[in-house]
Amino acid sequence: MRNVTLAALQMACTPDRETNLSAMERLVREAAGRGADIVLPQELFEYPYFCQDEAPDLLLRAQAAEGHPAIVRMQALAAELGIVIPVSFYELAGQARFNSIAVIDADGRNLGVYRKSHIPQGSGYQEKYYFSPGDTGFRVWDTKAGRIGVGICWDQWFPETARAMALMGAEMLFFPTAIGSELLDPDWDSAAHWQRVMQGHAGANLMPLVASNRIGAEPGRCGTELVFYGSSFIADATGAKVAEANRTEETVLAATFDLDALAALRASWGVFRDRRPDLYGPIATLDGAGGGAGRRGQEVAP
């Protein structure tokens, strides 16, 4: 038996970085007090979500991973509490900027960085202005609490993200997020859809999944406003939600899983045994015209 307790955090962000770091530290401590081994803060928690507008001065918020204030603070906290913390941060690397995660192990070491692979672009979510597409590829890490895979927000809408990390040996999946209202359609509420997509990742890969979102209304520079809908949750290996936050309140969620029992479940279920990579060529293309039997079947169809 290898029990692990996973925690999801959600909070509102203020314009002041120090206030946000202190609030996040308080929530991390609360999660650790409830027995959490791995604690997931939300995406880009140092500031309000700054990608609503294209503002050149906000590009200057990016900082190198080495010595980054959020990472340094969470490293000290992880070492003190003996917990794992995937830390979202705005990374400067040479002349490039990335939306990144530093995985901090329970002894405070930074095990490495994952850079967000899928970068969205839309009204209120203008991330292509701020971030280059990640160049790390999907990654997994052996932490004190188990082998984890971490994607970032828009990554969660692509089943390939979760499956790739599962194939690389992840035992648990984590998705820090910043998602809320849509400026072009205020009546469009994607919260339930957002949850169901990730519940599918958990169920399809037979492993727990943790998603942390922010809450609150955040103004943009040009008179816009996004309202983040929280709804952070933890799903079990069947995709069922076992813990869920509401849309408006600061929350710490926690759930415990037996990783050995889940490994046995994955082995017995057969979804990885019965995979057919030789048929999946179209997935590796943008237009679906990849090689393998799928393409040959299209060519001979009447």
Side-chain angles (χ1 to χ4, degrees):
M1 179 180 294
R2 242 182 342 133
N3 284 344
V4 61
T5 299
L6 313 180
L9 311 180
Q10 72 175 34
M11 71 175 201
C13 291
T14 77
D16 182 68
R17 172 196 258 179
E18 182 58 32
T19 297
N20 297 328
L21 288 174
S22 294
M24 185 57 70
E25 177 174 339
R26 173 173 50 79
L27 294 180
V28 170
R29 289 185 181 279
E30 180 180 339
R34 294 171 57 180
D37 300 294
I38 307 177
V39 179
L40 182 68
Q42 64 214 35
E43 182 186 19
L44 298 172
F45 59 84
E46 294 175 81
Y47 294 102
Y49 179 75
F50 54 84
C51 305
Q52 287 192 51
D53 316 290
E54 296 184 1
D57 62 299
L58 297 180
L59 294 168
L60 302 180
R61 286 184 174 176
Q63 294 180 246
E66 184 68 29
H68 192 286
I71 296 175
V72 169
R73 185 142 176 183
M74 294 298 130
Q75 283 182 290
L77 199 55
E80 175 192 343
L81 301 173
I83 59 174
V84 178
I85 311 175
V87 180
S88 174
F89 71 106
Y90 188 15
E91 182 188 10
L92 179 66
Q95 297 301 314
R97 291 169 172 80
F98 299 98
N99 187 338
S100 299
I101 287 283
V103 175
I104 309 304
D105 207 355
D107 58 2
R109 288 180 302 134
N110 181 357
L111 298 182
V113 169
Y114 165 69
R115 294 168 174 165
K116 186 173 181 178
S117 299
H118 304 93
I119 309 299
Q121 182 70 22
S123 181
Y125 300 91
Q126 300 187 55
E127 295 199 8
K128 282 184 166 61
Y129 180 79
Y130 293 96
F131 312 125
S132 293
D135 59 359
T136 59
F138 303 123
R139 301 190 67 185
V140 297
W141 286 271
D142 287 308
T143 74
K144 179 182 178 182
R147 192 167 175 86
I148 70 171
V150 186
I152 305 172
C153 200
W154 192 230
D155 286 335
Q156 68 209 353
W157 293 91
F158 299 85
E160 297 87 351
T161 302
R163 178 50 57 91
M165 293 189 292
L167 290 172
M168 295 166 71
E171 299 175 290
M172 302 157 276
L173 301 173
F174 296 83
F175 288 95
T177 300
I179 189 170
S181 57
E182 301 290 339
L183 297 182
L184 295 180
D185 186 355
D187 295 326
W188 182 16
D189 186 343
S190 62
H193 183 189
W194 170 75
Q195 288 187 340
R196 286 193 297 268
V197 167
M198 285 184 284
Q199 288 175 258
H201 300 335
N205 293 291
L206 293 155
M207 61 185 60
L209 183 147
V210 181
S212 294
N213 192 20
R214 64 176 66 207
I215 55 173
E218 297 183 5
R221 290 281 187 89
C222 301
T224 60
E225 181 180 77
L226 290 178
V227 179
F228 295 90
Y229 51 58
S231 305
S232 303
F233 71 98
I234 301 173
D236 69 12
T238 72
K241 290 182 287 186
V242 296
E244 180 178 8
N246 66 26
R247 299 171 67 101
T248 60
E249 294 178 322
E250 181 178 281
T251 307
V252 175
L253 303 174
T256 301
F257 302 93
D258 180 347
L259 296 182
D260 285 338
L262 293 178
L265 175 67
R266 282 192 297 276
S268 66
W269 202 254
V271 294
F272 293 99
R273 178 197 64 206
D274 296 339
R275 292 182 67 252
R276 291 290 308 278
D278 56 310
L279 303 181
Y280 303 156
I283 293 176
T285 70
L286 287 175
D287 65 359
R295 181 168 185 173
R296 288 196 296 272
Q298 292 172 9
E299 291 174 342
V300 300

